[in-house]
């Protein structure tokens, strides 16, 4: 391939990976010397989501699917830039300043309090019993936002975060859009769904605004899922869910007291929705209840 190009990084057609892996070098794109951005593509046949065409445009580049390389290729000149952020370590100060200087369309009239939950994608992995907390959060005035509804509108997704005052999210990819913004005004709170899951997000958020984990993420266990292994799509459980509710109340995010019976009813319902099999869900719930009682946590 003749010409000079910028290496954009590995590209997996997944919302979180696209932003976390394939955006941090785009700042170095120079249209006066580069013919485009080359990505190392994962070997899959998925169609790229619409927002991938907009992410390069934030940095002055144009999306070209033909430059997603999935087989060996020799390129005449390929520039490699130091990434402005690294997963887990977050953004550098200079990259954060660069993002803050970028301008892009902002939608007005988006909600001030937003909740990025996962109850609409339970079978892709979430905290069993999230439904209980989700209802409390929404009843308190937060708007449940599903980024999938704006898969082709990156600016809509950025506007939600840019305009928000408070953001609660269940640990997962929904918050990755923050990596395309500089400082933000919203206070951010995370519902954990695995031990140490905050390691992937903490530095990315704390360098932009305040960040608080709800409850104790060390009380979270993730069990085998639909594919028989412990993976990102597996169901998670909190062994001490009252601590999550305590933080929600103390931080002024919701009102009320924790009701273990209602929580465990929702937990059981979430497990049944995940497994689509009452027997498997009941067996897994029973194991969790035994672990809870072993910790001295009252169970229904």
């Amino acid at each position: 391939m003749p010409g000079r190009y910028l290496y954009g990084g590995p590209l997996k057609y997944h919302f979180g990976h696209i932003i976390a892996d394939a955006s941090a070098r785009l700042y170095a794109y120079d249209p006066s010397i580069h013919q485009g951005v080359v990505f190392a593509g994962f070997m899959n046949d998925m169609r790229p989501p619409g927002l991938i065409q907009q992410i390069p445009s934030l940095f002055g580049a144009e999306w070209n699917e033909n430059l997603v390389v999935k087989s060996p290729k020799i390129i005449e000149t390929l520039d490699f830039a130091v990434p402005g952020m690294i997963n887990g370590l977050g953004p550098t100060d200079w990259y954060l300043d660069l993002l803050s200087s970028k301008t892009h369309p902002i939608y007005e009239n988006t909600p001030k309090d937003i909740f990025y939950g996962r109850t609409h994608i339970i079978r892709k992995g979430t905290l069993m019993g999230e439904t209980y907390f989700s209802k409390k959060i929404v009843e308190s005035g937060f708007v449940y936002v599903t980024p999938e509804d704006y898969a082709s509108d990156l600016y809509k997704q950025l506007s939600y975060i840019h305009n928000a005052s408070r953001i609660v999210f269940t640990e997962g990819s929904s918050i990755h859009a923050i990596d395309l913004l500089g400082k933000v005004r919203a206070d951010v709170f995370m519902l954990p769904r695995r031990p140490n899951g905050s390691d992937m997000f903490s530095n990315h958020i704390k360098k932009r605004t305040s960040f608080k984990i709800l409850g104790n993420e060390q009380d979270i266990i993730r069990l085998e899922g639909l594919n028989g292994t412990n993976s990102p799509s597996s169901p998670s459980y909190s062994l001490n869910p009252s601590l999550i509710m305590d933080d929600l109340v103390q931080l002024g995010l919701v009102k009320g007291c924790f009701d273990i019976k209602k929580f465990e009813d929702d937990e059981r319902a979430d497990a049944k929705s995940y497994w689509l099999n009452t027997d498997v869900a009941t067996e897994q719930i029973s194991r969790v209840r035994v672990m809870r009682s072993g910790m001295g946590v009252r169970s229904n």
Side-chain angles (χ1 to χ4, degrees):
M1 182 191 295
R4 183 173 179 177
Y5 296 83
L6 174 71
Y7 176 64
L11 185 63
K12 181 178 182 180
Y13 292 155
H14 174 279
F15 178 76
H17 280 284
I18 289 170
I19 295 175
D21 303 333
S23 69
R25 299 172 178 84
L26 297 180
Y27 72 90
Y29 177 75
D30 183 345
S32 69
I33 61 173
H34 294 130
Q35 277 72 61
V37 180
V38 172
F39 296 98
F42 278 62
M43 298 297 287
N44 60 43
D45 296 320
M46 293 174 58
R47 288 188 62 190
L51 63 84
I52 196 176
Q53 300 178 27
Q54 295 176 302
I55 290 175
S57 70
L58 291 174
F59 302 91
E62 295 296 325
W63 165 251
N64 186 342
E65 191 171 357
N66 294 323
L67 295 181
V68 179
V69 177
K70 295 187 178 183
S71 60
K73 187 179 292 290
I74 296 174
I75 299 169
E76 181 180 2
T77 303
L78 189 61
D79 293 337
F80 290 80
V82 174
M85 67 175 177
I86 296 175
N87 284 339
L89 300 181
T92 63
D93 291 340
W94 60 263
Y95 186 63
L96 207 55
D97 290 340
L98 184 149
L99 291 174
S100 296
S101 70
K102 294 291 182 184
T103 59
H104 49 75
I106 294 293
Y107 289 75
E108 301 297 333
N109 302 318
T110 56
K112 295 301 180 185
D113 291 336
I114 59 177
F115 174 47
Y116 290 121
R118 294 178 65 88
T119 57
H120 65 292
I121 50 171
I122 284 179
R123 305 199 85 211
K124 291 187 177 181
T126 192
L127 179 70
M128 300 296 101
E130 182 193 321
T131 292
Y132 177 85
F133 298 117
S134 178
K135 287 187 289 189
K136 294 286 187 183
I137 292 167
V138 171
E139 287 170 2
S140 186
F142 281 75
V143 175
Y144 190 111
V145 177
T146 54
E148 298 92 326
D149 291 342
Y150 313 106
S152 298
D153 194 341
L154 175 66
Y155 304 122
K156 186 80 169 182
Q157 299 203 37
L158 296 182
S159 296
Y160 269 97
I161 295 176
H162 178 273
N163 296 335
S165 298
R166 297 186 298 179
I167 300 172
V168 179
F169 76 102
T170 302
E171 187 232 304
S173 294
S174 59
I175 200 63
H176 272 303
I178 201 171
D179 283 325
L180 296 174
L181 296 170
K183 297 286 186 177
V184 298
R185 72 188 78 172
D187 297 319
V188 180
F189 309 88
M190 187 187 81
L191 273 173
R193 66 182 181 105
R194 56 183 164 173
N196 303 317
S198 63
D199 291 350
M200 186 178 294
F201 303 98
S202 178
N203 288 327
H204 293 259
I205 299 172
K206 283 183 176 178
K207 292 186 178 182
R208 292 173 164 88
T209 187
S210 65
F211 175 62
K212 177 75 171 68
I213 301 167
L214 300 168
N216 182 359
E217 62 182 341
Q218 298 308 315
D219 290 334
I220 304 294
I221 58 170
R222 192 166 70 181
L223 301 180
E224 66 277 3
L226 297 170
N227 61 3
T229 65
N230 187 314
S231 67
S233 62
S234 294
S236 298
Y237 297 85
S238 172
L239 297 181
N240 200 349
S242 65
L243 295 183
I244 296 176
M245 185 66 178
D246 289 346
D247 277 349
L248 284 167
V249 172
Q250 291 172 11
L251 292 165
L253 300 171
V254 306
K255 295 180 180 180
C257 300
F258 183 63
D259 188 323
I260 185 65
K261 181 181 185 305
K262 289 184 178 179
F263 170 80
E264 291 191 336
D265 286 345
D266 284 335
E267 182 182 55
R268 185 181 298 106
D270 285 351
K272 289 180 179 179
S273 295
Y274 178 87
W275 288 104
L276 300 181
N277 183 316
T278 299
D279 292 340
V280 176
T282 299
E283 186 276 331
Q284 196 167 79
I285 288 286
S286 296
R287 288 162 55 193
V288 172
R289 303 287 163 86
V290 170
M291 286 186 272
R292 272 196 197 127
S293 63
M295 293 178 59
V297 177
R298 184 172 65 85
S299 187
N300 179 36

